[in-house]
Structure formats: structure tokens, C-alpha cells
Amino acid sequence: MQLTINGKPETLEVSTISDVLKAKDIDPQLVAVELNTQMIENEHLSTTSVKDGDKLEFLFFMGGGL
């Protein structure tokens, strides 16, 4: 299936957002996920389906500061 992840086209064989995170080796606790401009709560990652042409944005939490 063809997805756009953070603006880049990718081909993955997945069915849920959780599958995408696993395929990309991303810890779900360290990222916020947007699917087609809608934020997805972490508890729904394994039940939210993705389909061909979907756009995903991963927003990573970073520590730091002064």
C-alpha cells in the first residue's frame, strides 16, 4: 500500500497505524500521530486502519532546554 509519511511516499504492507509504527521501528510512546490531518489518540493506534493514499505525520517528543 502507498502511504505518505512525513511528506515522503512509502510503500508498506500494513493495516493499522500500529503496524506502520512497528514497520518503521517507532516507539508509540514517543510520538504523536496525525492521520489525514486528524490527531489519533495513542489508545486507538492499533484499531485505526490505514488505506492506500493515506497521509501520516509523526510528531516526535524531544527533551531539552536550559
Side-chain angles (χ1 to χ4, degrees):
M1 138 180 355
Q2 185 71 32
L3 301 170
T4 301
I5 300 174
N6 289 354
K8 296 179 182 177
E10 296 200 32
T11 302
L12 297 171
E13 293 303 318
V14 294
S15 58
T16 66
I17 293 174
S18 185
D19 293 340
V20 175
L21 294 173
K22 286 178 191 168
K24 302 288 290 173
D25 198 27
I26 298 172
D27 183 345
Q29 299 302 316
L30 301 177
V31 69
V33 178
E34 185 179 280
L35 173 63
N36 299 323
T37 72
Q38 181 178 5
M39 293 303 293
I40 306 298
E41 298 291 331
N42 277 12
E43 60 265 16
H44 300 293
L45 296 176
S46 62
T47 58
T48 303
S49 297
V50 291
K51 62 185 184 313
D52 195 50
D54 277 349
K55 295 180 181 176
L56 290 154
E57 292 290 329
F58 297 144
L59 309 167
F60 294 91
F61 299 111
M62 301 228 170
L66 300 174

